[in-house]
Amino acid sequence: MTDPKNQFSIYFHVHLVSDSTGETLMAVMRASVAQFRGVSPIEHLYALVRSPRQLDRVMQEIEDAPGIVMYTLVNNELRAQLEARCAQLGLPAIPILDPALTSMGRYLGIEMSSRVGAQRTLDAEYYSRIEALNYAMAHDDGANTHEFEDADVVLVGVSRTSKTPTCIYLAQRGIKAANIPIVPGAALPDDVLNLKKPLVVGLTAAPERLVQIRRNRLLSLHEDRSTDYVDEHLVKDETIQAKRLFARKGWSMIDVTRRSIEESAAKILNLLADKRGEHTL
């Protein structure tokens, strides 16, 4: 129970899985959460999920951070796969459009089109978001670094600092975002170190938090052996070296330890606006 003299938030993970941009899911989730006082969702958005391989990756993320799953998937096989995996994990999987579509179809006496993203108007803004989403997926986890100069934002950070979901969230705002991990003992490519146009942001987190997340990740992969990946002293050294790199390159830095994806993205959008000179006094 919450003491009115000492208000605090109950944090929980909510996973939004969509075969389109995910905006419908985001709107419904936020409208629902607004009805509950003292709760703060940690949002994980997975957009354009249209293949079993993509869904497998999503489920790995859900296993790492169990929580409520809300989805809009048209493909029946993907829906069945998602629901079965969530049932195994004991997590609720909520198809948010089903009640409305079922009632409307019954009233109209016709079947729905099962067209992916049918609720989206194909305007310039929509195409911009789709382009940004495609860019984020093609430049995730250090892929195609030779094209990073075309990005609006490039995120750099050690493993498990929410680089990928933050890029996807930014893509929902039409921002082309790429990301690359800092791997111990390996230098970043010159393509990244010499970037001129994009805003480069370093993401960091408290070592103890990183160790916890990484251990959960290994457990989800049925790996319980002690490795350098979760060694507290080595992880601490990783974060120190990362911060030194950010300072040396003059990159902005965000500590994501206590930030939701939405909060980190909001900070990045502000930094980008400052870089572009869009903020006025």
Side-chain angles (χ1 to χ4, degrees):
M1 215 175 152
T2 304
D3 182 350
K5 296 181 180 179
N6 183 27
Q7 295 291 328
F8 64 91
S9 289
I10 299 173
Y11 292 91
F12 68 99
H13 293 279
V14 57
H15 300 271
L16 309 173
V17 187
S18 174
D19 51 22
S20 186
T21 65
E23 287 193 42
T24 301
L25 276 171
M26 188 69 72
V28 172
M29 183 276 294
R30 290 180 178 173
S32 300
V33 170
Q35 303 303 314
F36 299 89
R37 292 182 178 179
V39 298
S40 297
I42 302 173
E43 301 171 1
H44 306 265
L45 177 61
Y46 314 97
L48 300 178
V49 179
R50 299 177 180 177
S51 71
R53 183 176 180 180
Q54 290 173 319
L55 186 58
D56 282 339
R57 183 171 180 177
V58 169
M59 291 308 307
Q60 289 176 0
E61 297 291 334
I62 293 174
E63 289 178 17
D64 287 348
I68 296 174
V69 178
M70 304 173 73
Y71 70 91
T72 51
L73 296 175
V74 169
N75 184 282
N76 288 328
E77 293 182 4
L78 292 182
R79 288 168 60 97
Q81 182 180 343
L82 174 67
E83 291 172 356
R85 297 278 295 275
C86 286
Q88 291 174 355
L89 296 171
L91 301 176
I94 306 169
I96 65 164
L97 290 179
D98 279 19
L101 292 174
T102 299
S103 296
M104 187 173 294
R106 186 180 297 118
Y107 178 80
L108 296 173
I110 58 177
E111 295 182 359
M112 68 177 187
S113 67
S114 296
R115 181 161 52 92
V116 172
Q119 72 273 25
R120 291 284 150 230
T121 302
L122 300 182
D123 55 13
E125 184 180 353
Y126 171 78
Y127 283 117
S128 176
R129 291 195 298 270
I130 293 299
E131 181 183 1
L133 283 165
N134 287 333
Y135 185 90
M137 290 187 292
H139 300 84
D140 181 41
D141 203 32
N144 300 312
T145 58
H146 62 286
E147 298 176 346
F148 274 24
E149 193 65 45
D150 297 327
D152 298 309
V153 174
V154 173
L155 302 184
V156 182
V158 301
S159 176
R160 315 314 290 180
T161 47
S162 303
K163 296 182 294 297
T164 296
T166 304
C167 282
I168 295 298
Y169 190 96
L170 289 170
Q172 295 296 310
R173 302 297 181 269
I175 303 300
K176 294 167 66 176
N179 74 83
I180 186 169
I182 296 177
V183 179
L188 290 176
D190 289 340
D191 292 330
V192 177
L193 294 174
N194 299 323
L195 287 170
K196 302 297 182 184
K197 172 183 168 288
L199 169 71
V200 183
V201 179
L203 301 185
T204 187
E208 57 272 19
R209 177 58 176 159
L210 288 173
V211 169
Q212 180 185 24
I213 296 173
R214 291 180 181 187
R215 282 176 176 162
N216 289 338
R217 171 65 171 157
L218 291 178
L219 287 174
S220 72
L221 298 174
H222 307 292
E223 176 61 72
D224 57 2
R225 292 179 299 174
S226 179
T227 68
D228 291 349
Y229 187 62
V230 292
D231 182 280
E232 294 182 9
H233 297 292
L234 293 178
V235 172
K236 183 177 181 180
D237 185 63
E238 273 187 67
T239 60
I240 291 173
Q241 296 303 321
K243 290 178 181 179
R244 288 176 178 172
L245 171 64
F246 303 155
R248 187 165 64 250
K249 296 298 297 181
W251 295 338
S252 299
M253 183 178 71
I254 298 176
D255 188 328
V256 302
T257 306
R258 298 183 182 278
R259 292 179 186 264
S260 66
I261 301 300
E262 179 184 14
E263 290 170 332
S264 297
K267 176 65 175 178
I268 292 167
L269 289 172
N270 284 336
L271 291 171
L272 183 60
D274 287 339
K275 177 179 172 65
R276 292 173 169 176
E278 295 174 356
H279 282 163
T280 57
L281 296 178

